[in-house]
Amino acid sequence: MSTTSIQSRRDLFEHLEYTIEGTYEELVDDQELQSGQTMLKTFLIESNVTPEQLRERVNIAEAREVDFDLHELVIRRNGNKHTFFLDSSDSRFWTLYTLEESDDAKAVVKDMVSGVRNGLDYTWMPVEQQRDVMNMGEFRDVGVSYEADEVFSSDYIDDRLDFGDLSVQSSGRGTSTLFDILDNQEELSSFLSLSSVGIKREIGGSFVLERVTHNGRFTTSGGDSIQLHIDTVDEIKNRYADLLQRIEEHHRISYESKEHGTGIGGTPLVIELDNEIEDVREFIENVITAKNPLRLWGAKTKLDEQYWKVKGIDLHNNDKYTMEICPEWIRLYLDEEACGNTALRIYANLQRHYDSNAVMEVLE
């Protein structure tokens, strides 16, 4: 894809609008894209670094400033180059636009967010926020993907869980009915973990077709308004940012020396579990392996037979955390400078890989 004609934010958005109009026409007429034609992929990334610091963490072959807070990045991976446009106008939540093939785009972004202490992370949307996306437009498709085997060992799954992998993909008019049927099955409810939600959104005579994943990837299969796509991304981002801000305002633990002792500020987060933990020690040994997607390291201490404490480090920013774990709940303590995204990564991934009915209350 030649990008030399893109010299401003307006140029980029006109190019992307042309793209989503073209993909929609091809899918309507021929049910498939032409060779070399790709859909717009937009990634919403949580950041604790600057675009300049990004160059120290990612193999960027070329970079140029397109507009204020908008850069074109050519990123090298496995000998190939991939083009992205980074919008950093929101310093906490970056937006990455690309027309690269889906697998390549996902792999590049995964490399970006998976490095130790790299300051970048996915936007880990809890199930509640994914369900909110369903109500933003006409509910068109859904992906359910409970993937315990990404976190838990085969022995743990065989002994403790009903499913190691449960996947359902549905599109079309019957999707809503199918999802309601599955959602109302008590035996399945703890394993009905959403991986993607697809909607057709129409506002003011314009429309876009969006598929939104649990970790902030938007695939736009058609539309006639790039502005509506941008507004949709912003609306979902703002909902997530509000949740993150409330976590950081109310749920980071701070200590203050006072005349008659030490004052404690903040309150821990509590994740209530519907799928109770049968063996807490085994559970912890599977969760704090420092591997993706949880990226947690720690040391465990037994407090009682089924009551354990973990003190550790989140490899996202090397922030400290403490968890107390028993069969019915997990209590999470964040350090006073910790990134609130740690809590959302833990919560959303517990929903995705262990118990989709888990609930975490966040103070207003």
Side-chain angles (χ1 to χ4, degrees):
M1 178 186 77
S2 174
T3 59
T4 55
S5 63
I6 298 175
Q7 298 295 324
S8 67
R9 192 178 299 268
R10 180 176 178 177
D11 289 344
L12 174 63
F13 291 160
E14 286 180 350
H15 180 73
L16 297 180
E17 183 163 283
Y18 175 80
T19 297
I20 64 174
E21 289 174 344
T23 54
Y24 181 70
E25 290 173 1
E26 289 298 323
L27 291 173
V28 168
D29 293 340
D30 300 326
Q31 303 300 307
E32 63 180 3
L33 299 180
Q34 296 181 14
S35 176
Q37 189 176 23
T38 58
M39 298 180 190
L40 168 63
K41 273 75 67 178
T42 303
F43 296 82
L44 195 56
I45 304 296
E46 189 265 345
S47 174
N48 290 275
V49 297
T50 66
E52 291 72 27
Q53 291 171 319
L54 181 68
R55 298 191 184 196
E56 303 170 8
R57 295 162 168 79
V58 177
N59 189 359
I60 298 176
E62 303 170 37
R64 72 178 177 97
E65 185 176 15
V66 176
D67 209 332
F68 187 69
D69 288 331
L70 179 66
H71 291 80
E72 180 184 15
L73 306 177
V74 179
I75 299 174
R76 186 182 290 110
R77 184 179 189 274
N78 293 340
N80 298 312
K81 294 181 179 180
H82 306 282
T83 300
F84 289 77
F85 287 87
L86 168 63
D87 185 342
S88 59
S89 52
D90 183 330
S91 61
R92 186 67 186 273
F93 293 98
W94 291 353
T95 307
L96 281 167
Y97 302 101
T98 187
L99 298 177
E100 296 288 343
E101 294 288 347
S102 181
D103 288 345
D104 291 332
K106 288 188 290 184
V108 170
V109 173
K110 183 178 180 179
D111 288 348
M112 290 176 66
V113 303
S114 297
V116 175
R117 202 176 183 181
N118 63 351
L120 303 175
D121 204 355
Y122 291 113
T123 46
W124 296 104
M125 283 191 284
V127 167
E128 300 91 320
Q129 292 202 340
Q130 292 176 270
R131 288 176 179 266
D132 287 341
V133 175
M134 294 179 183
N135 299 319
M136 293 176 66
E138 179 188 342
F139 183 26
R140 300 285 290 260
D141 64 72
V142 68
V144 174
S145 184
Y146 177 85
E147 297 176 324
D149 51 6
E150 285 195 359
V151 172
F152 297 94
S153 68
S154 57
D155 288 342
Y156 187 91
I157 292 169
D158 290 343
D159 293 341
R160 309 294 182 189
L161 297 175
D162 291 340
F163 296 97
D165 184 9
L166 174 63
S167 299
V168 177
Q169 189 73 44
S170 174
S171 62
R173 290 184 298 175
T175 295
S176 180
T177 301
L178 174 63
F179 183 76
D180 287 342
I181 291 171
L182 294 173
D183 203 21
N184 290 321
Q185 295 297 312
E186 186 175 347
E187 298 86 352
L188 292 176
S189 62
S190 289
F191 309 99
L192 202 63
S193 182
L194 293 171
S195 58
S196 65
V197 173
I199 60 171
K200 180 179 182 180
R201 195 170 198 209
E202 297 181 273
I203 296 179
S206 298
F207 81 97
V208 286
L209 302 173
E210 303 281 8
R211 179 177 290 121
V212 187
T213 68
H214 67 284
N215 58 356
R217 183 178 78 253
F218 298 72
T219 302
T220 309
S221 57
D224 60 9
S225 171
I226 192 64
Q227 188 59 54
L228 183 53
H229 168 70
I230 294 167
D231 291 345
T232 301
V233 174
D234 281 346
E235 187 172 332
I236 293 171
K237 178 193 73 173
N238 291 338
R239 191 181 300 139
Y240 187 88
D242 175 71
L243 181 59
L244 182 64
Q245 182 179 15
R246 288 190 282 128
I247 289 172
E248 294 183 343
E249 284 183 356
H250 302 299
H251 297 285
R252 293 194 289 195
I253 308 301
S254 60
Y255 301 91
E256 180 183 0
S257 296
K258 295 188 174 181
E259 184 177 352
H260 300 291
T262 301
I264 301 177
T267 183
L269 289 155
V270 179
I271 301 173
E272 301 282 354
L273 299 173
D274 181 57
N275 186 19
E276 293 187 7
I277 302 169
E278 292 185 25
D279 188 307
V280 174
R281 180 188 61 81
E282 284 186 67
F283 178 88
I284 292 170
E285 289 175 350
N286 281 268
V287 167
I288 58 169
T289 60
K291 297 178 181 178
N292 287 321
L294 285 163
R295 302 171 69 195
L296 301 175
W297 177 89
K300 63 183 184 297
T301 303
K302 183 177 180 180
L303 303 178
D304 205 342
E305 187 60 34
Q306 282 281 69
Y307 183 28
W308 291 69
K309 176 186 284 189
V310 176
K311 294 181 71 69
I313 298 292
D314 171 26
L315 299 184
H316 168 38
N317 281 332
N318 277 16
D319 292 329
K320 297 178 182 178
Y321 73 89
T322 299
M323 286 194 295
E324 294 173 355
I325 305 175
C326 72
E328 299 85 10
W329 49 260
I330 297 172
R331 185 181 291 135
L332 173 62
Y333 301 82
L334 295 178
D335 190 67
E336 62 182 320
E337 298 296 329
C339 175
N341 221 54
T342 299
L344 290 175
R345 186 181 337 105
I346 292 171
Y347 179 40
N349 277 291
L350 282 175
Q351 289 181 326
R352 181 165 169 75
H353 303 288
Y354 182 75
D355 178 7
S356 66
N357 284 334
V359 176
M360 182 176 75
E361 295 293 335
V362 179
L363 294 176
E364 295 288 342

